[in-house]
């Protein structure tokens, strides 16, 4: 036998690249198969062009697949990370200013990427909208399919149940009519399965009686509930951004805040929030309570519970009510949630010109630089009343101490030896052109230091109740002692009574979000749907009775959609319960059958 030139193997058959005429009549091969026709060649096949509609359908199917939705959900979670790394303008505008001051070169780049407005940025919104479209496009077809499946009948009993992995077969000797016994057995099984929550359908014929049962549709219902709830969360969060507002304010002891735009230090409101949306209630800070661990304790200076005691004035009738707000215990007022963000000291400073006229007199909040000692920094800006614009920049020390270098510091956060030190700058405060300026910072680039370590005049250092002169005879600065005892008897010596000499302030945040309740509801529904999808199995069960002579063969089988390690045990339990019921309630016309081993 000679070998073909196309086959290097001796005696081998040639490797056929083209189909023969006999292949065209092969019943196992479709008539339009690629090599069904004589002379057909794979190299002649060209894929048809998709066109615009074809590419759109391909992109839509790719976008609305569950795998794409999961990937987008993961990308959205990753995209939210910068929001916790960089300060956000909506929640911490002062933090954005501080970041700009500390990173002047990197700030323009980070701002261009919208890292300070992550949740309203273009790229985050794009991911958000793609995820929303993907979920909606994925859910709608599944809802239609699930609704159709709920209305459909359980599938017909397979002809050969023994082919299923979870199968049990028992043969019984019956003294009476085997067909009647078989029908009775299936009727009992039908009732038991219906009581167990199965949807049942009888399929009798071909010499056998059977019932087909299925349950577990709550699994797919829970899956759909989870995804619909996720869409609900996305919609609620999206709408919440337009109907919510968040504002911060600082209230000094004894002063009142009214819920209106002019009283906020900073405000970020949604595009659908008008001025009339703010309920004009009032809050007066009566006192701020805080306790510190003593210096000889294990944690000296550590603060205990913070409590801001407020008097709330209702809008309209002006009814007053005492309330307290604490850290992690917000106060609910007319749809607003009031959070306690921070606290500090607000030294009351009075500046007089050379004629003794008071040109500035108010409590100035100083921002804590060290929470353990409450050493704080603050700024006073004098725009009018002196020969030039003046800025006072300094530190407040609740309990003053001195470092080895001679610099002052605070050694304890409570008012034991309060001291205020101020450096004085004269020149342009940078407010003449109308540009907004942070009240807690002082730009000294266009100013000269006239009192301080680098000036001819020393820094101004005062204790409560003391007054010092400004350089050049411009006037005086007084660190007022607001202790009630000092107010009643100014001439008395109160140098050792500083407990109430400096007022405290609190930083509060008012947050209003009318959609938060919907976010909570959808989150609970999503959790419920997830539990249903995880813990409810989808099963199909068949019970079949076949009479033959004086015997009845009972078959039990089960099939799961997905992994179900408990299916075999469930089939065994159904069989045992069914046969026990048959033994207890046999067909009235005959005795109970005997099982054949």
């Amino acid at each position: 036998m000679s070998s073909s030139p196309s086959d290097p193997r001796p005696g081998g058959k040639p490797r056929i690249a083209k189909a023969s005429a006999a292949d065209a009549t092969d019943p196992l091969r479709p008539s339009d198969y690629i090599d069904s026709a004589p002379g057909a060649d794979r190299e002649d096949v060209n894929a048809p062009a998709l066109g615009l509609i074809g590419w759109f359908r391909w992109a839509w199917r790719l976008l609305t697949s569950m795998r794409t939705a999961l990937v987008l959900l993961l990308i959205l979670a990753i995209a939210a990370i910068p929001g916790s790394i960089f300060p956000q303008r909506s929640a911490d505008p002062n933090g954005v200013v501080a970041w700009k001051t500390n990173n002047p070169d990197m700030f323009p780049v980070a701002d261009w990427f919208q890292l300070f407005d992550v949740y309203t940025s273009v790229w985050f919104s794009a991911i958000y909208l793609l995820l929303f479209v993907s979920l909606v496009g994925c859910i709608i077809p599944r809802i239609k399919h699930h609704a159709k499946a709920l209305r459909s009948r359980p599938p017909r009993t397979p002809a050969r149940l023994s082919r299923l992995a979870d199968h049990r077969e028992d043969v019984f000797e019956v003294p009476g009519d085997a067909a009647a016994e078989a029908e009775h057995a299936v009727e009992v099984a039908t009732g038991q399965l219906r009581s167990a929550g199965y949807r049942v359908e009888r399929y009798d014929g071909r010499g056998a009686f059977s019932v087909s049962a299925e349950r577990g549709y709550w699994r797919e219902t829970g899956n759909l509930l989870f995804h619909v709830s996720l869409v609900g969360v996305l919609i609620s969060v999206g709408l919440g951004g337009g109907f919510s507002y968040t504002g911060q304010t600082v209230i000094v002891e004894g002063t009142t805040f009214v819920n209106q735009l002019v009283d906020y230090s900073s405000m970020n409101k949604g595009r659908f929030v008008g001025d009339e949306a703010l309920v004009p209630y009032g809050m007066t800070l009566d006192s701020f309570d805080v306790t510190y661990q003593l210096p000889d304790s294990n944690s000296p200076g550590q603060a205990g519970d913070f409590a801001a005691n407020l008097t709330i004035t209702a809008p309209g009738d002006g009814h007053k009510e005492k309330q307290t707000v604490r850290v992690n215990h917000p106060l609910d007022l007319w749809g607003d949630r009031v959070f306690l963000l921070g606290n500090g000291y607000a030294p009351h400073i009075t500046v007089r010109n050379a004629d003794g006229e008071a040109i500035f007199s108010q409590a100035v909040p100083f921002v804590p630089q060290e929470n353990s000692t409450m050493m704080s920094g603050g700024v006073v800006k004098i725009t009018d009343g002196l020969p030039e614009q003046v800025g006072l920049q300094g530190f407040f020390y609740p309990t003053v101490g001195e470092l080895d270098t001679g610099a002052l510091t605070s050694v304890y956060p409570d008012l034991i030896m309060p001291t205020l030190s101020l450096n004085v700058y004269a020149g342009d405060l940078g407010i003449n052109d109308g540009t907004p300026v942070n009240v807690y910072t002082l730009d000294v680039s266009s100013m000269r230091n006239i009192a301080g370590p680098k000036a001819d005049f020393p820094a101004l250092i005062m204790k409560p109740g003391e007054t010092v002169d400004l350089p050049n005879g411009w006037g005086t600065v007084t660190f007022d002692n607001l202790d009630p005892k000092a107010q009643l008897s100014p001439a008395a010596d109160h140098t050792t009574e500083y407990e109430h000499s400096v007022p405290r302030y609190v930083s509060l945040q008012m947050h209003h979000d009318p959609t938060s309740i919907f976010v909570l509801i959808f989150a609970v529904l999503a959790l419920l749907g997830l539990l249903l999808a995880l813990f409810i199995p989808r099963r199909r069960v068949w019970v079949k009775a076949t009479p033959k002579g004086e015997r009845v063969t009972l078959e039990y089988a089960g099939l799961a959609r997905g992994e179900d390690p408990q299916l075999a045990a469930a089939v065994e339990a159904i069989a045992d319960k069914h046969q026990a019921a048959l033994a207890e309630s046999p067909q009235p016309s005959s005795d109970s059958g005997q099982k054949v081993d």
Side-chain angles (χ1 to χ4, degrees), residues 489-572:
S489 54
D493 183 12
H494 298 284
T495 57
T496 60
E497 299 176 3
Y498 296 122
E499 183 178 359
H500 304 288
S501 60
V502 182
R504 301 292 295 254
Y505 73 85
V506 295
S507 176
L508 300 179
Q509 175 176 284
M510 275 61 74
H511 180 69
H512 180 82
D513 186 1
T515 63
S516 59
I517 183 64
F518 298 103
V519 174
L520 176 61
I521 292 174
F522 284 122
V524 172
L525 291 177
L527 179 60
L528 176 61
L530 186 61
L531 293 176
L532 293 175
L534 290 177
F535 295 107
I536 293 183
R538 177 81 179 273
R539 292 172 178 169
R540 287 174 177 171
V541 175
W542 295 274
V543 178
K544 184 177 182 181
T546 306
K548 189 174 183 181
E550 296 184 351
R551 293 186 176 185
V552 174
T553 301
L554 293 179
E555 294 182 82
Y556 309 88
L559 183 65
R561 185 173 181 177
E563 294 293 332
D564 188 358
Q566 301 297 324
L567 180 61
V571 172
E572 291 293 330

Side-chain angles (χ1 to χ4, degrees), residues 67-80:
R67 180 177 300 178
T68 302
L70 293 175
V71 171
L72 287 173
L73 186 61
L74 176 62
I75 294 175
L76 187 70
I78 296 174

Side-chain angles (χ1 to χ4, degrees), residues 64 150 186 204 230 311 318 361 369 445 449 453 478 480 515:
T64 56
L150 289 175
V186 172
D204 300 338
L230 188 59
T311 297
S361 181
Q369 308 296 310
S445 58
N449 185 211
T478 301
D480 297 317
T515 63

